[in-house]
Amino acid sequence: GPLARRGIVLDWEENLEAVTPELLDDYDCVVMYANHPDLAEVPGQFSAALDAFIRSGGGFAALHCTSGCFMQSPEWLHLVGARFVSHGAEIFAQQVVDANHQITAEWTPFETWDETYVQSHVKDDRHLLTQRDDEPWCWVRPYGDGRIFYTASGHDHRTWTHPGWV
């Protein structure tokens, strides 16, 4: 597929208990697209493994509904940088806030249907890349020796298969 041609290999894991430091040693980045409404708190082993992985230089890309996981865990809110509150849905394009960042420097905003997330946000060292109207939409931030990326985009195939997304 398109990612393999770029040298990107993906594995999928749904069982959070399987995410251990030993497992993460084989990866450069964890991409999380998940919704765990059954878990109010972030599981301790998963949280500790992910935290250590990122702090030691790993990447963490939190996508869309990941901000709605573990709704009663302050540590999850601070890791991701926002917590899901509500959403509508419509066709819209993000506005670039920082056109000089390596992620957005050559990226062209595009219109797509997606959920219009509204979130509560932390005040920290997030570097805002894009927004939807006044809502922060995509950001990065350092975390120890690692880095975190979040985007509220990505509800379904209308965004995931758009040429501007890939």
Side-chain angles (χ1 to χ4, degrees), residues 3-120:
L3 294 176
R5 285 191 289 277
R6 294 178 182 174
I8 299 171
V9 177
L10 295 177
D11 289 319
W12 183 270
E13 181 57 64
E14 290 188 28
N15 179 3
L16 296 179
E17 293 176 9
V19 179
T20 63
E22 296 76 26
L23 176 74
L24 294 177
D25 280 345
D26 292 335
Y27 298 93
D28 297 319
C29 184
V30 170
V31 177
M32 188 167 174
Y33 179 79
N35 192 351
H36 292 282
D38 54 323
L39 298 174
E41 299 282 335
V42 62
Q45 176 184 319
F46 169 75
S47 181
L50 183 61
D51 187 81
F53 170 77
I54 302 168
R55 286 188 185 280
S56 66
F60 179 52
L63 309 179
H64 191 60
C65 51
T66 302
S67 67
C69 292
F70 321 121
M71 296 292 277
Q72 294 177 20
S73 288
E75 62 270 29
W76 192 254
L77 166 64
H78 290 286
L79 182 73
V80 173
R83 175 168 287 138
F84 172 81
V85 174
S86 66
H87 72 76
E90 63 186 64
I91 295 173
F92 65 93
Q94 301 167 53
Q95 300 90 43
V96 173
V97 174
D98 180 356
N100 296 316
H101 191 276
Q102 65 188 34
I103 291 175
T104 50
E106 297 186 27
W107 180 71
T108 303
F110 57 93
E111 285 194 342
T112 187
W113 181 96
D114 213 324
E115 292 177 331
T116 51
Y117 269 28
V118 174
Q119 305 193 77
S120 58

Side-chain angles (χ1 to χ4, degrees), residues 62 67 77 79-83 103 119-122 124 126-130 135-141 148-152:
S67 67
L77 166 64
L79 182 73
V80 173
R83 175 168 287 138
I103 291 175
Q119 305 193 77
S120 58
H121 297 272
V122 296
D124 63 8
R126 292 182 305 164
H127 180 83
L128 187 60
L129 300 176
T130 69
E135 179 72 20
W137 200 256
C138 176
W139 56 81
V140 294
R141 72 182 185 92
I148 295 173
F149 167 83
Y150 175 79
T151 182

